[in-house]
Amino acid sequence: MEFTNAGNFEHITFEDITFPFNCFYMKNSNTLPHWHNHFEMVFSEKGCCTVYINGLSFLMSENQLIIIPPGSLHSIFPQGSCSYCAIVSGESLFEGLGADPHILEVLTPFMSIGLYPPVHLSEKDTAFKKCFSLLNELQKENAQKRNGYRARIKSQMIILFSVLYESLPQAFFKESKSPDSTRLIKLSLDYLRLHYSERITVNDMSMYCHLSIQHFCRLFKACTGKTFVEYLTLLRLEKARKILAGTDIPITQISDLVGFCNSNYFCRLYKKYYGHPPSRDRINPPEDG
């Protein structure tokens, strides 16, 4: 998966531009706050993680799934050891099928921006068993890529949408605009993506968003799952991790490049978050990098 960031909006480049579908596997890895206009389902294969979507938080336990509506600001943080999978599907996957009004009926609600809130399903929900079975089939088809797998994935996705459409009340599908607080936090995240290497304080960001420090801190934590300082630290560490894996720039210089004023402090933080010193990622680049 390749990302081209305009801030934290993700322009996802799929392996096959004619077939915008993929499964992304994460193990003990944070998914930092971002948004895109694709349909996304996330489910925990092992352990628990907290999923933040437009200021709401969901504890996703093993064998539970969450549907993230297109355009939603979301992030995922494991709670201890955790493996999870994200299935992402672009709207153009279904081009040509929109002429069928019966397919359009179940497709449009889930691929539209701002039409429904997040969906959290567990074994107690009637649709869960069917959805979970379909998710397993989708993973298998995407991994094996046997002849005709694209047609089978499209049909399985449509069946998935129809199962969800049947199980959710019609009142569920109504305009669900992101609150203004989400819009402001998106702006602050875009700013941080561009200026993370500079000296930035919480006071700077609260003024940028025209909010009091207390209000900004409360909104930022609710929308991202992290405090401002925690997020900025994680962002800088992720940037450093990618530089380590892709260049031979000395570690002391990398710490300066990503905004840490002290290389010893940077190395201590790196080991705290990743469980090993930065030198190891230079020798063995991270798989999810």
Side-chain angles (χ1 to χ4, degrees):
M1 176 171 60
E2 176 188 339
F3 293 138
T4 306
N5 267 316
N8 292 282
F9 180 90
E10 287 184 350
H11 298 275
I12 300 178
T13 302
F14 294 93
E15 294 175 5
D16 181 349
I17 60 172
T18 67
F19 190 74
F21 176 92
N22 214 337
C23 303
F24 304 110
Y25 298 92
M26 307 292 284
K27 183 177 181 181
N28 302 330
S29 296
N30 298 319
T31 298
L32 295 182
H34 66 286
W35 62 95
H36 51 70
N37 290 338
H38 304 303
F39 174 85
E40 181 172 349
M41 296 175 289
V42 181
F43 63 97
S44 176
E45 298 181 317
K46 180 182 178 183
C48 300
C49 54
T50 304
V51 182
Y52 295 87
I53 308 171
N54 288 342
L56 302 173
S57 64
F58 304 86
L59 181 63
M60 183 172 65
S61 301
E62 192 168 321
N63 292 334
Q64 292 186 356
L65 68 92
I66 291 178
I67 294 173
I68 301 171
S72 298
L73 173 63
H74 58 284
S75 55
I76 305 172
F77 298 104
Q79 305 297 312
S81 180
C82 176
S83 298
Y84 58 95
C85 175
I87 292 180
V88 181
S89 171
E91 186 177 19
S92 61
L93 180 70
F94 307 102
E95 279 185 359
L97 299 177
D100 186 323
H102 306 298
I103 291 178
L104 204 60
E105 180 186 9
V106 299
L107 182 65
T108 301
F110 293 101
M111 299 304 296
S112 300
I113 296 174
L115 195 58
Y116 63 98
V119 181
H120 186 189
L121 295 177
S122 64
E123 292 176 339
K124 65 180 177 60
D125 296 297
T126 55
F128 177 81
K129 188 175 180 180
K130 288 182 180 178
C131 289
F132 196 73
S133 176
L134 286 163
L135 290 176
N136 287 331
E137 287 298 314
L138 286 164
Q139 285 183 293
K140 186 188 301 182
E141 292 288 359
N142 190 64
Q144 295 177 350
K145 292 180 168 56
R146 296 169 299 169
N147 289 341
Y149 80 96
R150 292 180 179 87
R152 290 190 295 275
I153 283 178
K154 288 184 181 184
S155 64
Q156 287 161 356
M157 285 296 296
I158 291 168
I159 294 171
L160 177 73
F161 289 141
S162 70
V163 169
L164 291 168
Y165 190 70
E166 177 191 30
S167 66
L168 297 169
Q170 287 302 302
F172 185 83
F173 298 102
K174 58 184 179 181
E175 192 171 5
S176 179
K177 289 184 178 179
S178 298
D180 288 341
S181 57
T182 300
R183 181 182 60 80
L184 288 172
I185 297 306
K186 283 182 175 181
L187 287 174
S188 70
L189 292 171
D190 279 346
Y191 183 89
L192 290 172
R193 281 281 177 179
L194 294 173
H195 301 279
Y196 65 88
S197 62
E198 302 171 14
R199 184 181 182 275
I200 307 173
T201 67
V202 68
N203 185 57
D204 295 332
M205 292 312 305
S206 62
M207 291 178 64
Y208 180 77
C209 293
H210 303 287
L211 298 171
S212 69
I213 292 178
Q214 292 79 10
H215 194 191
F216 171 78
C217 288
R218 186 166 60 251
L219 288 180
F220 195 93
K221 179 70 181 290
C223 288
T224 68
K226 296 293 179 183
T227 67
F228 168 77
V229 173
E230 287 172 336
Y231 171 77
L232 183 56
T233 300
L234 279 173
L235 177 61
R236 286 170 169 169
L237 289 173
E238 286 293 308
K239 294 292 185 181
R241 201 179 191 197
K242 291 179 180 179
I243 296 172
L244 279 164
T247 74
D248 58 359
I249 298 173
I251 291 173
T252 52
Q253 290 184 30
I254 291 175
S255 65
D256 289 334
L257 284 174
V258 299
F260 292 103
C261 58
N262 183 294
S263 60
N264 290 328
Y265 176 64
F266 162 71
C267 290
R268 287 198 304 272
L269 275 178
Y270 199 96
K271 187 171 183 179
K272 175 184 175 183
Y273 277 92
Y274 298 123
H276 54 261
S279 56
R280 195 180 107 179
D281 282 338
R282 168 144 288 164
I283 300 169
N284 301 301
E287 291 182 4
D288 60 348

